[in-house]
Amino acid sequence: MRTVRDAAFDELRRHGLTTLFANPGSTEIPLLADLPDDLRFVLALHEGSVVGAATGWAVIRDEPALVLLHTTAGLGNAVGALATARANRAPLVVLVGQQDRRHLAHEPFLTGRLDSLAGDYPVRVETPLRAQDVPGALGRAVHAARTGRGPALVIVPMNDWAEPAEDLPAPAPAVLRPADGARAESVAEVAALLTGARAPALVVGAAADSPGTWSALVALAERLGCPVWQESFGARAGFPQDHALFAGHLPADRGRLRAALAPHDLVLTIGAPVLRQYAYAEGPLVHPGTRLALVTDDPAEAHRAPVELAVLAPLADFCTRLAARVPPRAADPVPPPARPRPAPPAAGGPLRTAHVMTALAERLPADTVVVEETPSGRPDLHALLPARAPLGFLSAAMGGLGFALPAAVGARMAEPRRPVVAVLGDGSLLYQVQALWTAAHYDVGAVVVVLSNGRYAIMDRLVEKAGGKGPWPGFEDISVHGLATSLGCPAERITDHGRLLAALDAAVPTLRTRTRPLVLDVAVEPDPAFEP
């Protein structure tokens, strides 16, 4: 007898969802027992790692990844990671197990009140009304994840999988084609704004992180002769950061933001929010003489943007047409001065984050995926380790910790020959250190550089800035090297500059071919000049 489980597997195959990231429980046994050989099962030891690895996979491949979570505990543990996936525009199809449908009304053990547990972060949540609706729900979730750029949940009671696949309703479309062209009127309207501006500037963001959009934005910026800023707290790079017109990362406080954009009478944001802030401050985003416009493929981003013109369009096509339409202008922009690379530390002197970033910048191939999660080290990374290729930088747009390590694992699994290096603080590592086991068990050749200072340096600086003292202790007694090796991951402890250079010189040539992860546990001292 053909079952709902059989039909569901066929639906997943039809959409290419044959790798399953999971941390399962008893309600998923009917689905997973004797899993077909063509379906790949990837175990992570915490649901944050499950969703984080799937997010890395989905971002690198630009296609949905498949996740399996275990009722209330699994979905509850994963909510923060699902929020990050939504902010990172990562398409995920998330199967959530539920107790047996036949006694749900009595709320048996392991029943989950699941429909609203993840709040508004999923782009779609569906609990099929009957078992035979499960395959169609999976197809609908695939399309919702793609078009909504986020996690789509399907909640399945455990007995549904064994039900007969009779009278299945018509499935979701095998292929759904979104609008793929920009309207000529919209292109003309934005071109007119740029042509009429005295001193335009571009702000780019994560949604522009594709080869086609990068190429189009380079052409547009060069025709305009204008600076290109990266959005603050961006999850991905929207422009080659080694280009002469790249102006840097926008500050995330209003005073410095207004100062940075003051020379410009028009700021066109492409593929990013307008203009993302951190701590609230009084005053407008820009000076009164600066006009704001937006081009995005995200309806929610367009709806909330404080601009005079917002355009919804596919970015690569729109920017290509826009670059061809605006006339070239004579301009001689002055790029901001490059941040000088630090001198090596004196013999026996402490390593700083800038020393590590400089060493990485001098060695990493241009197409390396750098996955970042080091709040106190991010300014040094941005200044010294620019993104030079699409998908060259990946971070958590939501801001919560626990993303970088599992995302690096998923990214490397998605592209096994592309170099992947995670750069994170030891505090960040501890949120999802379990992901090292997955990397080791599945022979994932990512390199993890841990900036170990035994404290939450960003929190220390923020509380000092507020004029107080934090109640939290340091955690210098935790051994990152020991944790990594206990999880089966090779690791090196590095305490001096010479050893850092030697370790990188040994590891970097292997980045494309290595099949084992490596943790470099680098002891660093916080930079006393760091300003949060």
Side-chain angles (χ1 to χ4, degrees):
M1 180 185 69
R2 179 172 165 78
T3 65
V4 165
R5 178 179 184 260
D6 298 325
F9 286 152
D10 286 343
E11 183 70 10
L12 293 173
R13 293 182 181 106
R14 184 164 73 131
H15 294 285
L17 294 176
T18 56
T19 296
L20 175 60
F21 295 91
N23 184 271
S26 58
T27 51
E28 292 71 61
I29 293 298
L31 172 68
L32 295 175
D34 299 321
L35 194 69
D37 291 340
D38 66 320
L39 300 181
R40 183 186 187 191
F41 181 91
V42 177
L43 176 66
L45 304 184
H46 185 277
E47 289 82 0
S49 293
V50 171
V51 175
T55 299
W57 172 285
V59 167
I60 293 295
R61 291 203 170 193
D62 195 27
E63 60 186 39
L66 180 60
V67 171
L68 178 65
L69 301 174
H70 172 54
T71 191
T72 306
L75 179 57
N77 283 344
V79 168
L82 291 171
T84 295
R86 177 70 180 272
N88 276 45
R89 301 166 56 85
L92 304 180
V93 174
V94 184
L95 269 169
V96 184
Q98 174 65 292
Q99 247 287 6
D100 193 302
R101 186 187 292 269
R102 293 168 293 188
H103 66 163
L104 279 179
H106 303 295
E107 295 198 8
F109 182 67
L110 286 178
T111 301
R113 299 181 183 181
L114 304 173
D115 293 77
S116 60
L117 184 56
D120 293 332
Y121 291 115
V123 297
R124 179 183 177 87
V125 178
E126 181 174 354
T127 300
L129 295 177
R130 61 186 188 125
Q132 286 73 23
D133 294 327
V134 169
L138 291 172
R140 290 186 288 275
V142 171
H143 297 315
R146 280 199 174 106
T147 58
R149 307 302 297 177
L153 275 57
V154 180
I155 301 164
V156 183
M158 61 190 296
N159 65 303
D160 281 11
W161 302 113
E163 293 295 313
E166 298 173 351
D167 301 321
L168 292 181
V175 177
L176 191 154
R177 296 288 185 206
D180 57 3
R183 293 175 55 189
E185 305 95 310
S186 298
V187 175
E189 195 170 4
V190 176
L193 281 177
L194 289 169
T195 302
R198 171 186 51 81
L202 302 180
V203 174
V204 299
D209 186 21
S210 72
T213 310
W214 271 41
S215 176
L217 284 172
V218 167
L220 176 62
E222 290 177 349
R223 285 181 76 84
L224 294 170
C226 74
V228 182
W229 291 89
Q230 171 74 34
E231 64 167 320
S232 60
F233 298 110
R236 292 156 65 178
F239 190 82
Q241 295 174 355
D242 57 346
H243 192 282
L245 291 173
F246 182 66
H249 291 72
L250 279 180
D253 64 271
R254 294 193 182 208
R256 290 191 298 151
L257 177 66
R258 285 193 295 270
L261 298 179
H264 307 290
D265 58 340
L266 175 70
V267 175
L268 174 62
T269 298
I270 299 173
V274 181
L275 293 156
R276 200 175 187 200
Q277 298 289 285
Y278 181 30
Y280 177 75
E282 295 288 347
L285 291 172
V286 293
H287 289 299
T290 301
R291 304 167 73 187
L292 297 175
L294 168 69
V295 179
T296 180
D297 60 358
D298 182 343
E301 205 165 73
H303 296 165
R304 65 176 179 263
V307 297
E308 65 176 83
L309 173 64
V311 176
L312 274 169
L315 296 184
D317 181 65
F318 189 96
C319 293
T320 299
R321 297 183 185 211
L322 185 62
R325 180 135 188 159
V326 298
R329 63 170 70 198
D332 187 22
V334 179
R339 180 169 176 173
R341 294 183 173 181
L351 277 172
R352 306 276 187 200
T353 297
H355 296 132
V356 181
M357 300 305 175
T358 298
L360 289 170
E362 292 171 348
R363 289 162 174 79
L364 292 184
D367 64 337
T368 301
V369 181
V370 175
V371 190
E372 176 270 332
E373 193 169 276
T374 171
S376 62
R378 187 177 293 122
D380 284 321
L381 187 148
H382 285 331
L384 299 169
L385 188 56
R388 295 170 285 166
L391 292 172
F393 174 79
L394 181 58
S395 186
M398 181 57 64
L401 300 182
F403 169 78
L405 182 55
V409 174
R412 178 66 175 198
M413 294 179 83
E415 288 286 350
R417 290 295 176 264
R418 184 164 181 179
V420 175
V421 175
V423 182
L424 63 162
D426 49 356
S428 299
L429 174 86
L430 294 174
Y431 274 77
Q432 287 299 329
V433 68
Q434 305 95 328
L436 290 176
W437 180 90
T438 300
H441 184 81
Y442 293 98
D443 293 326
V444 177
V447 171
V448 181
V449 179
V450 182
L451 306 173
S452 295
N453 55 35
R455 70 200 76 176
Y456 295 125
I458 184 72
M459 293 294 294
D460 293 341
R461 289 301 168 82
L462 286 171
V463 76
E464 289 168 7
K465 188 175 181 181
K469 181 180 179 182
W472 49 84
F475 41 87
E476 297 92 342
D477 51 336
I478 295 177
S479 168
V480 169
H481 175 275
L483 284 173
T485 55
S486 73
L487 291 164
C489 183
E492 294 183 40
R493 174 69 172 171
I494 295 170
T495 57
D496 65 79
H497 193 248
R499 185 66 203 127
L500 171 67
L501 301 186
L504 291 176
D505 286 339
V508 168
T510 73
L511 286 176
R512 297 188 193 280
T513 58
R514 64 180 305 118
T515 57
R516 295 288 290 162
L518 173 65
V519 169
L520 300 180
D521 175 18
V522 185
V524 296
E525 287 292 328
D527 188 343
F530 169 66
E531 176 72 16

